[in-house]
Amino acid sequence: MNIDGIPTRTLRAHPEQRAIDIIDQSCLPHVLHWVRVATLEAAAHAIRAMQVRGAPLIGVTAAYGLAIALDFEASDRCLAEAAALLRSTRPTAVNLHWALARMEAALAPLPPEARCAAAWLEAAAIADEDVAQNVAIGQHGLALWRDLIVADGRTLNVMTHCNAGWLATVDRGTALAPVYAAHDAGVPVHVWVSETRPRNQGLLTAWELDQHGVPHTLVADNAAGLLLRRGKVDAVIVGADRIAANGDVANKVGTYLKALAAADNGIPFYVAAPRSTIDFACADGAGIPIEERDGDEFRLVHGLDSRGVPSALRQAPAAADVANPAFDVTPAWLVRAIVTERGACPASRDGLLGLYPEEAHD
Ligand code: MRU
């Protein structure tokens, strides 16, 4: 992905300085601000406070957070405690748990003195794999859209929700990977970007599409149904925080409503995610933990004031009783296909096991 015309990853590792640099996404779309993370606590804070966000990037940041922690002490106790702290930061995105389990499996058998160097290498491998998987998702997603891309050069109109793009991964994104693949292949593509209240991740999507030169239009979440009804959308594509073994999909709250409206209008609804987002141990969507976040995310709105200074405005009284579930679950039957690094499959147990036969157990 290009930022200011320069290919850029969202996370820079500095093993020699025992630190990583991340983009503080809470400052976007107004300021691109890189932050140095050099302690376990700072890594945990970055994930919890959503300086980094998006399931794959959360997982990669946690892996590096563990590497940073082991640089201070690499005993069995510290490895377990650091992993537990990072694991506690956000509950829904299973990539976080997957990355930490992979790190612990690689590091626990090693003598403590070998763990730190190995941790940096394993975290880098997870980051590199994320990029390669997203490139593959882009190609598989683009192939699915071939039927929708008409020869006369008509623009392909895609709708997305939240941000499952470059910013949510190390590079390329998941849901936006086919969009970037189409754009880079010269296919005229336009993206309807829903605002995604209350955290407004749609603004992040609009920002990164703008950086890469992809035409897009921001809309309020509530406008999606009308656009789908009026035939303004050829396909909807979103990312996922956890896909259950039966193909039910947890993603940013509001995704389910888009899937319902897409189904009512016969518009294909796709989910793009790598293997690390699929939880074969979770039978169906009812078993996916849904994160409840602080009500102030809803009561306050953030932006720039008239002088261009970052500010918060109160839109609901401090005492207002609010619920702030961060995710919802879209049942498998509303999903036309799940697009992974291995290809696309029906959103079903058989479909997922067809792509990942090694996960079939008696
Ligand atoms: O709360 P967030 O911003 O971390 O939620 C992000 C999403 O819901 C994304 O759609 C999902 O993580 C997929 S990111 C490739």
Side-chain angles (χ1 to χ4, degrees):
M1 274 275 321
N2 292 338
I3 298 301
D4 292 332
I6 301 166
T8 308
R9 285 186 172 193
T10 56
L11 185 151
R12 298 174 181 148
H14 305 287
E16 68 296 341
Q17 295 167 37
R18 304 299 183 213
I20 56 172
D21 290 338
I22 57 163
I23 296 169
D24 183 349
Q25 297 192 28
S26 65
C27 298
L28 285 172
H30 310 296
V31 185
L32 177 59
H33 178 49
W34 289 85
V35 172
R36 171 118 330 174
V37 172
T39 64
L40 167 67
E41 291 70 25
H45 170 76
I47 298 170
R48 190 177 285 117
M50 294 176 65
Q51 288 179 310
V52 289
R53 43 146 302 283
L57 187 60
I58 292 171
V60 173
T61 305
Y64 277 115
L66 205 56
I68 291 169
L70 294 182
D71 190 48
F72 288 90
E73 189 184 330
S75 64
D76 287 355
R77 183 181 57 80
C78 280
L79 175 60
E81 286 180 5
L85 175 66
L86 291 161
R87 206 175 281 119
S88 71
T89 50
R90 297 196 73 188
T92 304
V94 77
N95 309 57
L96 171 69
H97 305 267
W98 172 89
L100 289 168
R102 171 167 161 175
M103 292 290 287
E104 283 189 285
L107 301 173
L110 301 179
E113 61 277 14
R115 284 178 182 162
C116 186
W120 283 95
L121 290 175
E122 192 68 15
I126 293 173
D128 289 345
E129 285 170 28
D130 176 68
V131 180
Q133 288 169 341
N134 294 337
V135 170
I137 286 172
Q139 292 308 317
H140 294 307
L142 183 57
L144 272 185
W145 289 346
R146 284 279 171 223
D147 290 350
L148 299 171
I149 299 168
V150 285
D152 64 3
R154 187 182 71 86
T155 295
L156 177 71
N157 277 290
V158 175
M159 177 179 279
T160 193
H161 186 60
C162 192
N163 172 264
W166 173 76
L167 282 164
T169 63
V170 179
D171 206 348
R172 299 307 281 187
T174 55
L176 292 191
V179 170
Y180 291 127
H183 177 80
D184 292 352
V187 174
V189 58
H190 164 266
V191 186
W192 294 106
V193 179
S194 69
E195 182 188 20
T196 316
R197 285 284 293 143
R199 294 278 312 206
N200 295 339
Q201 287 94 331
L203 300 182
L204 305 178
T205 295
W207 179 83
E208 65 163 86
L209 289 171
D210 192 48
Q211 289 289 326
H212 204 72
V214 181
H216 59 278
T217 306
L218 258 174
V219 293
D221 297 325
N222 290 339
L226 178 77
L227 295 169
L228 287 156
R229 191 89 189 149
R230 284 189 169 166
K232 302 284 188 192
V233 182
D234 298 306
V236 182
I237 188 163
V238 298
D241 288 81
R242 193 182 297 227
I243 299 173
N246 73 339
D248 290 349
V249 174
N251 190 49
K252 180 55 54 191
V253 69
T255 300
Y256 175 42
L257 290 176
K258 286 191 173 55
L260 282 172
D264 190 41
N265 291 284
I267 310 293
F269 180 92
Y270 299 107
V271 174
R275 163 66 189 87
S276 50
T277 304
I278 305 167
D279 186 356
F280 282 99
C282 182
D284 57 39
I288 298 176
I290 300 295
E291 179 179 11
E292 285 282 340
R293 291 190 61 89
D294 195 303
D296 273 352
E297 289 188 345
F298 181 89
R299 296 184 193 98
L300 304 173
V301 282
H302 295 266
L304 301 183
D305 68 14
S306 56
R307 292 161 300 148
V309 177
S311 320
L313 272 182
R314 175 166 298 289
Q315 66 163 359
D321 187 17
V322 302
N324 188 17
F327 302 95
D328 61 23
V329 176
T330 298
W333 71 270
L334 290 173
V335 178
R336 175 73 59 91
I338 294 174
V339 189
T340 80
E341 74 283 359
R342 290 196 186 173
C345 71
S348 66
R349 184 169 187 82
D350 286 350
L352 289 168
L353 289 178
L355 288 183
Y356 300 96
E358 67 276 17
E359 299 297 339
H361 307 293
D362 296 330

